[in-house]
Amino acid sequence: VVFGDTLTLLAALGVGVISTAVILLALSARGGRIDRTGLLLAVLSGVSNAGFVITDMQGVRLTGDPIVYGFTLAVANAISLGTYGRLEGLRPLAGLRSDPLVVLASCVLSMVSYLLVLYGLANGPAGAVSALRETSIFIGVVLAAVLLKERVGPARWIAAAMAVAGVALIRLG
């Protein structure tokens, strides 16, 4: 609303379905109980998430190029976090030496994922892009069940299905 983005009715419904799916997933993890501390942390996380989505959206729109913005931010983060790590006595490149393929693959996949989000923010409404971003939680549920052979109950599968339906509604909207 602040930046003049609008959603169609279907896209707004999709955002609502994905948000409900996230809540269902959280409830399934706690046996259907609401933990006040967890709820407070979730709200704070949501506020933080909204802050960086708005920051990214404005950054992409001001630079006019999601790739330029994304790589500039990545370099700034690498310098600042690397410096902070060294000041704390950590060795930021130790993981790269011990398992270079895993570290490089993680970096590439993380950067591609972030650039896709930035592309979405440059070309679509922030609310819909932000909701789509949260579907990564549900990809994690599927990977946990299929690759890690973890028990995933019916509520989590329903939440995953709702997320897919929400994505479809956003796309149709």
Side-chain angles (χ1 to χ4, degrees), residues 7-21 127-128 131 162-173:
L7 293 175
T8 65
L9 181 60
L10 279 178
L13 184 60
V15 169
V17 168
I18 291 172
S19 299
T20 303
M162 288 174 65
V164 171
V167 169
L169 287 170
I170 289 170
R171 179 66 183 113
L172 291 172

Side-chain angles (χ1 to χ4, degrees), residues 16-154:
V17 168
I18 291 172
S19 299
T20 303
V22 170
I23 292 167
L24 179 60
L25 184 64
L27 289 174
S28 73
R30 300 282 302 162
R33 294 177 317 213
I34 296 177
D35 176 24
R36 290 183 187 178
T37 302
L39 182 60
L40 175 64
L41 291 172
V43 169
L44 291 174
S45 176
V47 170
S48 297
N49 191 358
F52 72 71
V53 166
I54 289 170
T55 301
D56 283 345
M57 181 186 71
Q58 288 303 101
V60 166
R61 291 180 181 176
L62 289 173
T63 61
D65 188 341
I67 293 174
V68 169
Y69 176 77
F71 278 107
T72 301
L73 209 60
V75 169
N77 280 337
I79 292 169
S80 62
L81 291 175
T83 301
Y84 178 75
R86 293 297 289 170
L87 291 173
E88 289 291 313
L90 302 173
R91 295 180 17 221
L93 299 178
L96 186 59
R97 289 187 193 102
S98 66
D99 205 347
L101 290 178
V102 170
V103 172
L104 290 174
S106 298
C107 290
V108 168
L109 291 173
S110 177
M111 193 68 209
V112 167
S113 170
Y114 185 55
L115 289 174
L116 288 171
V117 169
L118 295 178
Y119 177 80
L121 289 173
N123 295 289
V129 173
S130 182
L132 287 173
R133 186 177 198 174
E134 297 308 314
T135 59
S136 64
I137 295 168
F138 304 102
I139 293 169
V141 169
V142 172
L143 291 175
V146 175
L147 294 179
L148 301 176
K149 307 292 188 229
E150 291 183 8
R151 180 175 138 24
V152 176

